[in-house]
Amino acid sequence: MNGARTTTQRQEAVAIVGTGQTPFRSRHDDKTYPELAQDAVVLALNDAGIGPDEVDAVVFSMAPTQFMGVADVEKWAVDYTWARSKPFLRIHTGGATGGSALQAGWSHVASGYYRTVLVVGADRITETPDAQHVLNLIWDQFYEQDFALNTVTMTALAAQRYMHRYGTTEEQFARVVVRGRGNAMRNPNAHLKGHITVDDVINSPRVSWPYKLFDICPRSAGAGAVVLTTESAARERRARPAFITGIGGIANTVYMGDRMTPKADTDFADQGEMVLAARECYAQAGITDPMAQIDVAELYDPFSTFQFPQLESLGFCARGTAQNLSDEGAFDMGGQLAVNPSGGTLCTNPIGVTGLVRIIEAARQVMGTAGDMQVANVHNALATAAGGSTQFFTTTLISDEPRTGNAT
């Protein structure tokens, strides 16, 4: 295989040298699914300055294929992503799929087996009118499906628990939406964007308390791709590669009730699994003070209630304090930490690639190619993803140079 290396060679740092993403919107009726994936691949390869023949392996990021109405839809995309006769791996961890796929691609390169790896995915959530019924299948058919759980009602329960614990208000969650939609105004690929007010959010139709319509992400169609390679190859390709300096991932039980008991290791409301994922990620990258050392956070926030527990679990602030810091502007562009300069998942959610888009946006910030969304002097950017019954979590740190942490 082109670019294959033996494991006896010295391990090099892994870097992102090319990214590509299509515009995200409700539908892409002008293209088939594999054509949409191919568009992102072409953009990423062109950004990296390489051709398809230089890619040694492909990781495909795709969540439930029921949304597409095509079983194993990744097989349809093999030829369109130039993956024929190459190692090809599909990853599926629900909403965390994009983060998990990137980390699988990282391991391909870091292991020494491949020099250049393409990570690509696409999704078309509006291909089915029954998305929430499909998502109900996540849960155990004997104990939880009969409660009509879906991603909206499930996370609404977590939000209620969080509000009860920390006194968070609907208005404080609404400010997260206002910030995200405003940031997305600078993002040409964002699905939802606009200058709205807290009152606009509060007065949007009630869906499941505490959620109103504007508290919830859209169902988006689109594709994304990244090109990963070794440090030596990356420095040949671009002046400022985006190095992957820390990764963390964790899976927990699907049962929500098991994460709300006094003896639970993590708490459903706090997204406590993210503490464990971040701990490993930070150790690899040498991060000891996240608020001081990390410049940008691209958080997986399909609901307005996701940012506060994530920011706290990631170590940016103490439990119950993110809401007040948000009110004070700490997470605005130009604040202490730029959170979701792209608008985040609240504005764009193609489930199978949402986590990958978070990484794309973090990498663009580090490479200095984020356009109107660019934050000045970014050295470290963090991307997260979450999936299943918020049981899968990934954290990925992107840096302007390789970092040396305390992990073995």
Side-chain angles (χ1 to χ4, degrees), residues 42 80 101 125 170 180 216 225 234 240 254 260 262 271 291 294 350 354:
V42 170
Y80 289 80
I125 309 302
E170 293 183 68
I216 302 171
R240 190 181 173 91
V254 71
M260 293 187 245
Q271 299 192 18
M291 187 65 96
I294 296 174
T354 300

Side-chain angles (χ1 to χ4, degrees), residues 38 75 86 126 162 238:
Q38 186 176 71
K75 294 179 174 61
K86 297 176 181 178
T126 47
Y162 187 89
R238 61 189 320 142

Side-chain angles (χ1 to χ4, degrees), residues 163-202:
M163 295 169 77
H164 175 75
R165 180 171 293 171
Y166 303 114
T168 319
T169 66
E170 293 183 68
E171 287 78 11
Q172 288 176 312
F173 289 137
R175 291 188 187 100
V176 172
V177 183
V178 171
R179 179 171 58 241
R181 294 280 189 97
N183 287 352
M185 288 292 290
R186 295 183 288 271
N187 183 357
N189 294 317
H191 186 170
L192 297 181
K193 59 185 76 177
H195 295 299
I196 60 174
T197 67
V198 169
D199 285 343
D200 291 331
V201 180
I202 295 296

Side-chain angles (χ1 to χ4, degrees), residues 55-361:
V55 173
D56 305 313
V58 176
V59 177
F60 201 85
S61 179
M62 181 59 187
T65 58
Q66 292 99 320
F67 295 140
M68 285 291 304
V70 177
D72 301 324
V73 71
E74 74 279 1
K75 294 179 174 61
W76 191 14
V78 167
D79 286 342
Y80 289 80
T81 57
W82 292 281
R84 181 183 290 193
S85 300
K86 297 176 181 178
F88 183 86
L89 172 68
R90 175 192 165 194
I91 298 291
H92 168 24
T93 53
T97 297
S100 300
L102 186 285
Q103 294 185 2
W106 172 89
S107 68
H108 278 20
V109 179
S111 68
Y113 277 102
Y114 306 104
R115 178 173 179 172
T116 302
V117 173
L118 172 70
V119 183
V120 57
D123 220 332
R124 299 167 73 104
I125 309 302
T126 47
E127 291 291 308
T128 173
D130 301 319
Q132 293 300 337
H133 295 290
V134 170
L135 291 167
N136 175 256
L137 300 175
I138 294 171
W139 289 279
D140 186 276
Q141 61 180 323
F142 296 109
Y143 295 104
E144 294 182 328
Q145 281 188 17
D146 284 346
F147 288 96
L149 289 171
N150 55 47
T151 53
V152 175
T153 55
M154 168 197 71
T155 54
L157 292 172
Q160 293 165 25
R161 183 172 171 86
Y162 187 89
M163 295 169 77
H164 175 75
R165 180 171 293 171
Y166 303 114
T168 319
T169 66
E170 293 183 68
E171 287 78 11
Q172 288 176 312
F173 289 137
R175 291 188 187 100
V176 172
V177 183
V178 171
R179 179 171 58 241
R181 294 280 189 97
N183 287 352
M185 288 292 290
R186 295 183 288 271
N187 183 357
N189 294 317
H191 186 170
L192 297 181
K193 59 185 76 177
H195 295 299
I196 60 174
T197 67
V198 169
D199 285 343
D200 291 331
V201 180
I202 295 296
N203 294 323
S204 62
R206 178 72 70 184
V207 177
S208 179
W209 195 85
Y211 291 147
K212 285 76 58 188
L213 183 62
F214 286 8
D215 287 302
I216 302 171
C217 65
R219 297 195 297 166
S220 306
V226 301
V227 176
L228 304 175
T229 193
T230 61
E231 178 182 357
S232 57
R235 295 196 187 279
E236 294 172 3
R237 292 294 174 190
R238 61 189 320 142
R240 190 181 173 91
F243 290 93
I244 299 169
T245 53
I247 64 170
I250 192 167
N252 203 346
T253 175
V254 71
Y255 297 109
M256 295 184 299
D258 289 350
R259 286 176 272 155
M260 293 187 245
T261 67
K263 294 185 178 180
D265 293 328
T266 61
D267 193 278
F268 185 55
D270 288 331
Q271 299 192 18
E273 295 87 348
M274 196 70 82
V275 174
L276 305 178
R279 183 181 302 160
E280 175 63 25
C281 177
Y282 292 164
Q284 293 172 16
I287 298 294
T288 56
D289 186 344
M291 187 65 96
Q293 293 172 279
I294 296 174
D295 308 295
V296 172
E298 276 286 338
L299 303 182
Y300 183 90
D301 62 342
F303 303 93
S304 62
T305 58
F306 268 46
Q307 280 197 17
F308 299 157
Q310 274 194 57
L311 287 164
E312 292 162 3
S313 288
L314 292 165
F316 291 108
C317 53
R319 289 288 179 205
T321 64
Q323 59 206 39
N324 297 324
L325 288 169
S326 174
D327 292 345
E328 296 163 4
F331 307 125
D332 293 351
M333 299 287 281
Q336 290 177 259
L337 174 72
V339 174
N340 290 350
S342 66
T345 311
L346 267 170
C347 300
T348 305
N349 189 29
I351 293 177
V353 288
T354 300
L356 188 60
V357 172
R358 304 279 66 76
I359 290 164
I360 288 171
E361 295 296 357

